[in-house]
Amino acid sequence: ILRPKLENIYKQIDTNRICFLSYNPFNTNYDINKFIQLKKYNIPEINKDSLNLSIFNIYQFPTILILDSNLKIIKEFIGDEKGEPVLLNKFLEEYNLLKK
């Protein structure tokens, strides 16, 4: 439910200033790639073998983290809240991270 909304936001971001990355701790790279090709998703997705996110103490999925260039969390959205895409979009607008 959340992913299609994030995909719409992803199309609007300024990729020179911010990067979206989806993290799937449950599936293999093969399964992930098959899924994103089937759904025609554009947000890059990685699994637990590609990156260890334990440093961020993620305990609930989905979790959206916005990190600065030093990997410091500047904003986080935890869980599957209906308002998250709106709040995320508002945050991106406020910090000029959308395409002009």
Side-chain angles (χ1 to χ4, degrees), residues 21-25 44-49 51-53 58 61:
L21 182 64
S22 178
Y23 176 68
N24 183 325
E45 188 160 343
I46 60 171
N47 75 355
K48 63 184 178 300
D49 297 330
L51 181 65
N52 183 352
L53 293 182
I58 297 173
F61 295 94

Side-chain angles (χ1 to χ4, degrees), residues 14-71:
D14 180 349
T15 55
N16 293 317
R17 302 196 58 223
I18 190 170
C19 174
F20 273 31
L21 182 64
S22 178
Y23 176 68
N24 183 325
F26 307 110
N27 299 103
T28 65
N29 276 333
Y30 175 80
D31 291 334
I32 291 169
N33 289 330
K34 187 175 170 184
F35 175 75
I36 61 174
Q37 287 175 1
L38 176 70
K39 297 288 189 175
K40 297 185 171 130
Y41 287 150
N42 295 303
I43 298 173
E45 188 160 343
I46 60 171
N47 75 355
K48 63 184 178 300
D49 297 330
S50 303
L51 181 65
N52 183 352
L53 293 182
S54 63
I55 61 170
F56 298 117
N57 297 315
I58 297 173
Y59 298 107
Q60 191 173 6
F61 295 94
T63 294
I64 300 168
L65 300 176
I66 299 177
L67 310 172
D68 68 12
S69 59
N70 295 315
L71 298 181

Side-chain angles (χ1 to χ4, degrees), residues 12 86-98:
Q12 300 173 46
V86 172
L87 295 173
L88 175 59
N89 201 51
K90 187 175 180 179
F91 177 86
L92 296 171
E93 283 177 357
E94 184 178 326
Y95 285 87
N96 268 342
L97 297 172
L98 298 176

